[in-house]
Amino acid sequence: MQNQETIGKILLTEDQIRQRAHELGQQISEDYKGESVILLGTLKGSVVWMADIMKAITLDTAIDFIAASSYGSSRTSSGVVKVTKDVSMNLYDQNVIIIEDIVDTGNTLKFLKDYLSDRNPKSVRICTLLDKPSRRIADVTPDYVGFTVDDLFIIGYGLDFDQRYRNLPYISYLEG
Ligand code: IMP
Ligand code: MG
């Protein structure tokens, strides 16, 4: 397995991301004061961000994961989304916070919000590490955003290109 792509500059360091996770964790803890939450991570991209954000939340907290994939070419998602690993917890009357790596076209989150609403949760909000608003197609706005990024193909800190680069401890992008 060889890397044929060129990795760009470091856009966000591990320290910057952890600091932001701490700020958002505090905000979430205030917003849901006295309540419990289920953090629902989207596999696989959100796992590194999930690990940071969950430690920054001081509420009664459970975590679960869901995997959804959209079919399209490797760099862009189509509008067709399928759940490939379902939620295992009962979401009825629960505060669900979807933990996402990046909101791009918004197609995945739009689908997931509709999909989860069938489970009758008390509330559903979105906490994303990155937001790429310039590419938005679907009508979806994340409630908690780590950082806004330009229209680049982002890698690292959980985000992949063809399943690689998820292990980079920083956020970068592919050149070209
Ligand atoms: P959507 O276009 O908002 O539906 O994005 C769906 C998924 O595509 C995201 O959750 C990511 O897993 C992936 N994705 C979108 N943009 C990027 C990117 O710049 N780098 C890596 N993955 C991305
Ligand atoms: Mg994702």
Side-chain angles (χ1 to χ4, degrees), residues 40 66 81 83 86-87 89-94 96 98 109-124:
L40 183 64
I66 187 167
V81 185
V83 170
D86 212 338
V87 183
M89 293 183 71
N90 185 355
L91 304 184
Y92 178 76
D93 206 27
Q94 300 292 321
V96 176
I98 301 171
L109 276 177
K110 177 85 174 62
F111 170 86
L112 277 182
K113 274 195 110 169
D114 292 345
Y115 182 80
L116 295 173
S117 72
D118 290 347
R119 312 289 173 97
N120 297 307
K122 187 173 180 183
S123 66
V124 179

Side-chain angles (χ1 to χ4, degrees), residues 42-46 68 99-103 108 112 158-160 166:
T42 57
L43 293 172
K44 305 171 190 171
S46 75
I99 307 294
E100 179 63 294
D101 52 356
I102 187 166
V103 187
T108 308
L112 277 182
L159 287 93
D160 73 305
R166 294 192 196 277

Side-chain angles (χ1 to χ4, degrees), residues 4 7-8 18 21 59 67 74 78 83 94 98 128-129 141 162:
Q4 287 131 344
I7 302 180
R18 291 228 178 115
L59 305 164
S74 53
S78 67
V83 170
Q94 300 292 321
I98 301 171
T128 187
L129 167 57
T141 308
D162 274 356

